[in-house]
Amino acid sequence: MAEAASKSLDSPDETRPIENGTVEVVNLGSGGVMRTTFQPGWRWSESVKPAAGTDSCQTHHFGYCISGRMHVVMDDGQELDVGPGDALEIPPGHDAWVVGDDAYVGIDITGAATFARSG
């Protein structure tokens, strides 16, 4: 049985700096929780792809947008816009980028194990 736990993302267990952004992770008994902050100009295919070594993001994201806006394009052409207050699920196989002049800040409860890690 899992034990009750709480950790602050303001004191993360791990920080993964990426071009034009930051990924902060806290690890709990059942897995990691990730806060992503992407600055205007961030795009997965430019900021993370070199470290990931894949043609598109292969991380499954399930989470919540706190602030900012992001546009997602799936490998099959489906498109999705994410904004403040939106819950989101993005399967593997996508590119994404910040839209507008505000940073995108989101919480991801499934992607911490793989996102922004070297190949």
Side-chain angles (χ1 to χ4, degrees):
M1 176 183 265
E3 292 188 26
S6 174
K7 287 187 179 181
S8 173
L9 281 161
D10 292 331
S11 298
D13 295 321
E14 179 183 2
T15 300
R16 302 175 195 159
I18 57 174
E19 185 177 331
N20 291 321
T22 304
V23 176
E24 299 161 304
V25 178
V26 294
N27 296 304
L28 302 169
S30 296
V33 176
M34 176 171 70
R35 175 171 56 195
T36 56
T37 303
F38 305 139
Q39 299 300 324
W42 178 89
R43 184 177 183 131
W44 184 90
S45 56
E46 297 168 3
S47 301
V48 183
K49 180 179 178 175
T54 57
D55 288 335
S56 61
C57 181
Q58 296 302 306
T59 297
H60 174 240
H61 303 281
F62 187 82
Y64 177 80
C65 173
I66 296 171
S67 61
R69 298 197 169 279
M70 182 169 55
H71 186 75
V72 180
V73 177
M74 302 300 301
D75 289 350
D76 68 4
Q78 179 186 359
E79 297 190 30
L80 172 72
D81 288 307
V82 178
D86 289 347
L88 61 96
E89 183 163 16
I90 305 169
H94 58 273
D95 192 6
W97 55 89
V98 172
V99 175
D101 296 327
D102 297 322
Y104 172 90
V105 179
I107 300 297
D108 189 322
I109 58 172
T110 58
T114 60
F115 186 76
R117 288 194 183 264
S118 296

